[in-house]
Amino acid sequence: DILQLRQRRRESAWTQLVAMAAGSGAVRDPDVLLAALHWRERLGSTALGKGVAVPHAHSIAVMRTHVVLGRSAPGMDWGAPDGELVRL
């Protein structure tokens, strides 16, 4: 399944993505992982360009590696190097 991201801000997208990972049992403390994502993004944007971002972080809150895919139809500003809105 692909999570349909409802919000236009990346922080809101993180919340939805982390909630989905927590619902699958991969995350024990969503707030700790959200904080790690916030700090990771401060190091530099995880947007790759061409509408794609790969938010990621190492955290003790993660019990097992898990990938969650989200899609934003209108796109969101993620600070991509090509200036495009992120949709995936």
Side-chain angles (χ1 to χ4, degrees):
D1 291 334
I2 298 174
L3 179 63
Q4 297 300 318
L5 301 171
R6 299 178 302 269
Q7 306 297 325
R8 302 273 324 242
R9 296 179 40 143
R10 61 184 162 183
E11 292 84 359
S12 299
W14 298 338
T15 300
Q16 286 183 262
L17 294 166
V18 168
M20 186 173 209
S24 75
V27 176
R28 79 179 99 222
D29 190 334
D31 291 333
V32 171
L33 180 54
L34 285 169
L37 287 169
H38 173 78
W39 283 107
R40 167 56 189 90
E41 201 71 23
R42 288 186 68 184
L43 295 174
S45 177
T46 56
L48 304 176
K50 298 191 180 199
V52 177
V54 184
H56 60 283
H58 291 279
S59 173
I60 60 171
V62 176
M63 296 172 16
R64 61 184 165 81
T65 302
H66 194 76
V67 175
V68 179
L69 182 61
R71 177 174 45 207
S72 171
M76 59 184 75
D77 182 16
W78 209 285
D82 62 3
E84 286 190 35
L85 296 177
V86 166
R87 289 185 167 74
L88 288 176

